[in-house]
Amino acid sequence: MRSRRFAGVLVALAVVLLPAGCRTSSSGAPAGSARSTASPTLPGYGTQFLAVDECSSFGTASFTEVPCTGERAAARVIARYDGAVADGPLCPATTDFVLHIGAQRTDGDEDGDGTIPQGYACMRNLEPPHPGDPGGGGGPRTIVGDCVYGSGHGQVRETACDGSGKRQPQYRVVRAVTSRDACPAATALYVQLGGEHPVGCARRV
């Protein structure tokens, strides 16, 4: 069977939030990550490595592609893109984490050119918890319903809205709009969300 390798990255979210009417928003790019320390040789189960609807296992040092019906399956690919995350489409709103796949040469692959291109897979856990859900306290994107707390220097980090995280929530994103002037009057912070409605209107909780 053909072999493939990839490195996994769990993306942790950090965003810069702005007091309403004071500062301007900056990028909501991830500020931290936990990187796999091993890249094992892996079997492929479809025409593309970690294609949509394929599954991965979880591990402390690596991730492997596994059959979704197997007992090791932990998360499913809900979207898959070539290239770097910074240059490609956003993952779906309720993505739990992102796996980054490094470009590499192989003995053979699905199209016969011996190359697996750089890309990323947007993953959804097969079972709860789902940190990418609104208020879940994690995921690679901030979405309506998520809560955040101030982490210093004008930045905030996401935390669970139910208070189960290490930090208590201070603000909740209540609306996504195209510009700041479309936010409700009670908005305390603006959050850059990306996508078609890039401005998040956040209120104190």
Side-chain angles (χ1 to χ4, degrees), residues 9-10 38 85 107 109 116 147 151 153-154 189:
V9 176
L10 292 179
V85 173
D107 294 334
D109 68 349
I116 295 175
C147 292
S151 59
H153 305 291
L189 292 172

Side-chain angles (χ1 to χ4, degrees), residues 110-137:
E110 54 271 10
D111 59 12
D113 66 359
T115 302
I116 295 175
Q118 179 186 11
Y120 57 100
C122 309
M123 308 298 295
R124 175 86 173 166
N125 294 333
L126 294 180
E127 297 180 357
H130 293 290
D133 282 352

Side-chain angles (χ1 to χ4, degrees), residues 16-71:
V16 173
L17 281 191
L18 325 159
C22 282
R23 292 172 281 178
T24 58
S25 177
S26 68
S27 169
S33 64
R35 182 177 296 274
S36 147
T37 57
S39 298
T41 298
L42 307 171
Y45 293 95
T47 59
Q48 182 187 41
F49 179 60
L50 280 180
V52 172
D53 285 334
E54 291 182 345
C55 292
S56 75
S57 66
F58 282 159
T60 58
S62 66
F63 300 87
T64 60
E65 182 181 314
V66 296
C68 291
T69 55
E71 61 180 16

Side-chain angles (χ1 to χ4, degrees), residues 98-115:
V98 177
L99 289 183
H100 294 248
I101 302 166
Q104 54 206 283
R105 300 284 301 177
T106 66
D107 294 334
D109 68 349
E110 54 271 10
D111 59 12
D113 66 359
T115 302

